[in-house]
């Protein structure tokens, strides 16, 4: 059983790699277009940060946080989101595939469906988003006067990777939801893009119930808020013990178990439109 | 005229068909409305009266933005993808033979689309926003009417810009790049990310003079009662002027395109 599971995982990753590299070759056929859309992606997300900088043209602090502190939150969330968007960003097309019946083609191939859906139209231009996130993150690390300890140093790469994993689970859950509500891709966006926007700001500016919601219900707070506030040495607005900041890997694992279950349930319930 | 009314009704009905998509859109607008509202509250806590708005006006601005995001198609979406596809495949040649004005035909459809989006994705998030936050809603029916006029003019400006973007497909074939630039400009210069009155110095002056401010900044200020009397006439003239100029530019580009560009045959 464990062996079968594992080989399916290996098979899925292999298939993902093959499909993604196919799309990569097709993108590289039009290099100018690739460069333009990558720059466009970079600018699109960059405008969010420009808006934050414009806010700081009027204030010195937002919710008690300075610009470099917010940049740390922004960069961590943006990079984590960018990574999972690069790998799984095509998942929101699932609803369309269910509607127009092209999902059927994927079902008959001897390759895990999740890998096929995720790798479909793999877009390297999404590197633009990651680059922008990393730049802001770098700016934050260079400007902030952080009291570095080995644990805090370790927290930095960990935060980006587990953050990406948590966002990835949300992408898969959203796609599973679209098996039932085929026309509701925007609901998925409000958790992915909306979650990313939320996490770019400090938790102190949001209502306590909202903070509780993204901590305990949809655990987005583990993407960057909890680990980044530990690095900054600041308190989380909810009274939580300090070790909670080290939970992101556990939370990511639990999220993926839920996402996998939801995905299987969705796939089992799928009925072709027959078109 | 009757023909265009039928086309507009068709545009309305076409979008009204996708009920789940509409509900999902309302959900998204509400989520983003909440997130933005809290960031604005933090900002106006620090600086009351920032940009000439008090806290409740700033919050109202957030929800107006959510209401007009789909209505004024600030992130694109609507007819332009379809028109670009028709240009790319050459189907547009058939459209040009039809005894209707190509630009007015698409405008009528887009006005129908906008009317539906305003009702469906404008009202519901606004109501939810008003329940959660203290919004500054106008009490005089005159302002509501002026707001509707301003939104309509904003939709026409948005249409005229997107029509030009779509026509670029005559030369570029793949309009993805042009669409992306228009989408970025629309989001940033409409005041969707932050009211244009908060943009500093020259950047602010330029942003307020560009056509995109007709999409959100001007209608929002009309709604908040910032333009009255002659000021209101000026605001309408600003929007109407851009609408006219951009529609004329569209006609000009269209005639150049149809005369000089060889349509790809199938």
């Amino acid at each position: 059983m464990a062996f079968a599971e594992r080989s399916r995982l290996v098979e899925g990753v292999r298939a993902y790699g093959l499909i993604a590299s196919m799309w990569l070759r097709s993108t590289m056929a039009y290099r100018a277009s690739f460069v333009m859309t990558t720059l466009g992606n970079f600018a699109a997300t960059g405008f969010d940060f420009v808006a934050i900088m414009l806010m700081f043209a009027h204030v010195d602090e937002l919710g008690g946080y300075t610009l470099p502190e917010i940049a740390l939150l922004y960069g961590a969330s943006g990079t984590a989101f960018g990574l999972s968007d690069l790998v799984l960003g095509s998942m929101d097309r699932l609803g369309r595939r269910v509607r127009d019946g092209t999902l059927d083609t994927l079902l008959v191939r001897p390759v895990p469906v999740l890998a096929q859906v995720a790798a479909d139209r793999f877009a390297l231009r999404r590197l633009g988003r990651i680059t922008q996130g990393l730049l802001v993150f770098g700016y934050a690390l260079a400007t902030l006067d952080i009291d570095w300890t080995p644990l805090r140093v370790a927290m930095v790469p960990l935060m980006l990777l587990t953050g990406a994993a948590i966002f990835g689970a949300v992408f898969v859950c959203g796609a599973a939801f679209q098996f039932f509500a085929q026309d509701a891709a925007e609901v998925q966006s409000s958790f992915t893009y909306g979650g990313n926007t939320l996490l770019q700001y400090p938790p102190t500016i949001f209502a306590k119930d909202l903070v509780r919601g993204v901590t305990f219900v949809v655990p987005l707070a583990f993407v960057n808020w909890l680990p980044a506030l530990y690095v900054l040495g600041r308190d989380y607005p909810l009274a939580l013990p300090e070790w909670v900041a080290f939970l992101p890997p556990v939370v990511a694992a639990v999220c993926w178990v839920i996402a996998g279950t939801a995905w299987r349930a969705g796939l089992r319930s799928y009925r072709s439109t027959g078109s | 005229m009757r023909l265009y009314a039928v086309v507009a009704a068709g545009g309305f009905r076409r979008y009204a068909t996708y009920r789940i998509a509409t509900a999902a859109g309302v959900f998204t607008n509400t989520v983003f409305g909440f997130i933005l509202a809290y960031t604005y509250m933090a900002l106006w806590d620090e600086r009351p009266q920032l940009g000439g708005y008090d806290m409740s006006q700033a919050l109202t601005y957030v929800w107006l933005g959510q209401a007009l995001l789909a209505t004024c198609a600030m992130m694109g979406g609507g007819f332009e993808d379809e028109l670009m596809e028709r240009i790319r495949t050459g189907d547009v040649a058939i459209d040009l033979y039809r005894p209707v004005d190509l630009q007015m035909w698409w405008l009528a459809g887009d006005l129908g689309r906008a009317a539906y989006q305003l009702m469906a994705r404008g009202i519901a998030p606004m109501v939810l926003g008003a329940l959660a936050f203290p919004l500054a809603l106008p009490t005089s029916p005159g302002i509501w009417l002026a707001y509707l006029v301003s939104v309509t003019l904003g939709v026409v400006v948005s249409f005229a810009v997107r029509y030009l973007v779509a026509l670029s497909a005559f030369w570029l074939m793949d309009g993805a790049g042009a669409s992306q630039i228009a989408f970025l400009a629309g989001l940033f210069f409409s005041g969707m990310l932050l009211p244009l009155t908060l943009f500093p110095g020259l950047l602010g002056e330029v942003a307020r003079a560009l056509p995109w401010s007709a999409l959100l900044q001007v209608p929002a200020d009309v709604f908040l009662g910032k333009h009255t009397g002659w000021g209101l006439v000026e605001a309408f003239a600003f929007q109407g002027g851009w609408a006219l100029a951009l529609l004329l530019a569209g006609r000009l580009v269209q005639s150049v395109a149809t005369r000089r560009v060889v349509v790809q045959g199938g």
Side-chain angles (χ1 to χ4, degrees), chain A residues 14-15 53-54 60 62 75 85 100 107 117 128 146 155 165 206 229:
Chain A
R14 209 179 90 85
M53 291 199 300
L54 286 176
D60 298 324
L62 203 60
D85 184 49
D100 65 17
L107 291 176
V117 176
I146 298 171
M155 200 64 115
F206 298 104
L229 295 194

Side-chain angles (χ1 to χ4, degrees), chain B residues 114-141:
Chain B
Y116 173 73
Q117 299 288 31
L118 183 65
M119 282 174 59
R121 293 183 60 170
I123 295 171
M126 196 77 187
V127 170
L128 292 167
L131 289 174
F133 301 96
L135 299 190
L137 303 176
T139 45
S140 119

Side-chain angles (χ1 to χ4, degrees), chain B residues 23-247:
Chain B
V26 167
F27 183 77
T28 312
N29 286 136
T30 309
V31 168
F32 274 92
F34 266 89
I35 297 171
L36 275 177
Y38 282 114
T39 64
Y40 278 39
M41 274 163 71
L43 191 57
W44 264 264
D45 257 342
E46 294 275 322
R47 286 284 308 273
Q49 294 302 327
L50 185 61
Y53 303 115
D54 63 26
M55 176 79 88
S56 70
Q57 286 174 327
L59 290 169
T60 312
Y61 186 95
V62 168
W63 291 96
L64 286 171
Q66 293 303 315
L68 295 183
L69 182 67
T71 309
C72 291
M74 277 177 250
M75 300 174 70
F79 77 96
E80 66 269 31
D81 294 337
E82 203 182 332
L83 178 54
M84 276 192 278
E85 186 59 21
R86 291 189 75 80
I87 292 172
R88 203 178 60 78
T89 56
D91 287 344
V92 74
I94 304 162
D95 300 341
L96 289 167
Y97 278 120
R98 293 205 176 107
V100 287
D101 185 89
L102 192 65
Q103 196 185 33
M104 287 302 123
W105 165 279
W106 289 104
L107 174 61
D110 200 53
L111 283 172
R113 177 202 61 79
Y116 173 73
Q117 299 288 31
L118 183 65
M119 282 174 59
R121 293 183 60 170
I123 295 171
M126 196 77 187
V127 170
L128 292 167
L131 289 174
F133 301 96
L135 299 190
L137 303 176
T139 45
S140 119
I143 291 190
W144 283 96
L145 194 67
Y147 172 67
L148 279 182
V149 173
S150 186
V151 170
T152 311
L153 288 169
V155 172
V156 179
V157 172
S158 160
F159 166 83
V161 172
R162 284 176 292 136
Y163 196 73
L164 280 167
V165 170
L167 290 181
S168 74
F170 270 112
W171 288 274
L172 299 174
M173 286 305 136
D174 176 37
S179 288
Q180 195 176 32
I181 292 167
F183 145 70
L184 289 176
L187 213 55
F188 192 68
F189 290 114
S190 62
M192 192 68 208
L193 296 174
L194 209 60
L196 300 180
T197 50
L198 268 67
F199 284 29
L202 188 65
L203 177 67
E205 278 170 47
V206 171
R208 288 188 289 272
L210 289 173
W212 291 284
S213 72
L215 272 51
L216 172 60
Q217 186 68 50
V218 177
D221 279 340
V222 168
F223 190 87
L224 294 170
K226 300 276 171 197
H227 299 300
T228 47
W230 271 110
L232 187 62
V233 177
E234 273 172 37
F236 287 163
F238 172 80
Q239 291 182 294
W242 268 122
L244 213 60
L246 291 165
L247 285 176

Side-chain angles (χ1 to χ4, degrees), chain A residues 44-117:
Chain A
T45 46
F47 273 158
D48 289 344
F49 195 67
V50 172
I52 292 178
M53 291 199 300
L54 286 176
M55 287 183 177
F56 275 89
H58 301 278
V59 296
D60 298 324
E61 286 190 346
L62 203 60
Y65 283 71
T66 61
L67 181 60
E69 285 178 306
I70 288 182
L72 187 75
L73 293 173
Y74 180 103
S77 175
T79 307
F81 182 73
L83 285 171
S84 79
D85 184 49
L86 177 71
V87 180
L88 295 162
S90 300
M91 297 296 289
D92 57 2
R93 294 172 55 84
L94 185 86
R96 198 184 307 173
R97 282 193 167 278
V98 172
R99 284 202 302 281
D100 65 17
T102 50
L103 187 69
D104 292 12
T105 335
L106 309 187
L107 291 176
V108 295
R109 293 188 193 139
V111 174
V113 181
L114 182 63
Q116 294 185 63
V117 176

Side-chain angles (χ1 to χ4, degrees), chain A residues 221-245:
Chain A
F222 293 88
V223 169
N224 68 339
W225 276 354
L226 286 159
L229 295 194
Y230 173 80
V231 172
L232 288 171
R234 300 192 64 142
D235 291 330
Y236 195 61
L238 307 178
L240 297 176
E242 200 183 69
W243 55 263
V244 173

